[in-house]
Amino acid sequence: GYEFQSHGVIEMLEKLLDKFIEERTALEKSEMNSKHAYDMLMQDLTAQIDQATQDRTEKSEIKAKKLQAKADAEGDLQDTTTTR
């Protein structure tokens, strides 16, 4: 009878398929980890930018209030000095 001669080739191809699946799974996991790290970094940097913007706005408002208070005080001093 005829004996199937391709058994070794099929076995080799099956092992290659298993190896490729393992490698693909490892690469997908690595890619997911990299994407997660990137997303976390972007979230952190966005939060830092938002906080810095808020701090800058608050400092500008405080500076404006101080300048207005100084101008008011100088105006009051001028009025007091003039009325004497």
Side-chain angles (χ1 to χ4, degrees), residues 5-23:
Q5 300 292 322
S6 302
H7 184 69
V9 173
I10 292 175
E11 192 174 306
M12 181 188 70
L13 290 174
E14 287 173 346
K15 287 180 182 179
L16 273 175
L17 177 62
D18 290 342
K19 181 181 175 190
F20 290 152
I21 290 172
E22 286 176 22
E23 288 178 8

Side-chain angles (χ1 to χ4, degrees), residues 6-65:
S6 302
H7 184 69
V9 173
I10 292 175
E11 192 174 306
M12 181 188 70
L13 290 174
E14 287 173 346
K15 287 180 182 179
L16 273 175
L17 177 62
D18 290 342
K19 181 181 175 190
F20 290 152
I21 290 172
E22 286 176 22
E23 288 178 8
R24 184 185 66 194
T25 302
L27 288 171
E28 287 172 346
K29 183 177 179 182
S30 174
E31 185 178 353
M32 276 181 36
N33 289 340
S34 294
K35 183 181 181 329
H36 179 70
Y38 170 81
D39 290 342
M40 295 295 291
L41 177 63
M42 285 301 296
Q43 185 177 3
D44 183 51
L45 292 174
T46 301
Q48 287 181 32
I49 290 169
D50 292 344
Q51 185 62 50
T53 302
Q54 181 180 344
D55 292 347
R56 184 188 65 205
T57 302
E58 289 173 2
K59 286 179 182 177
S60 295
E61 290 171 356
I62 291 169
K63 183 177 179 181
K65 287 177 183 177

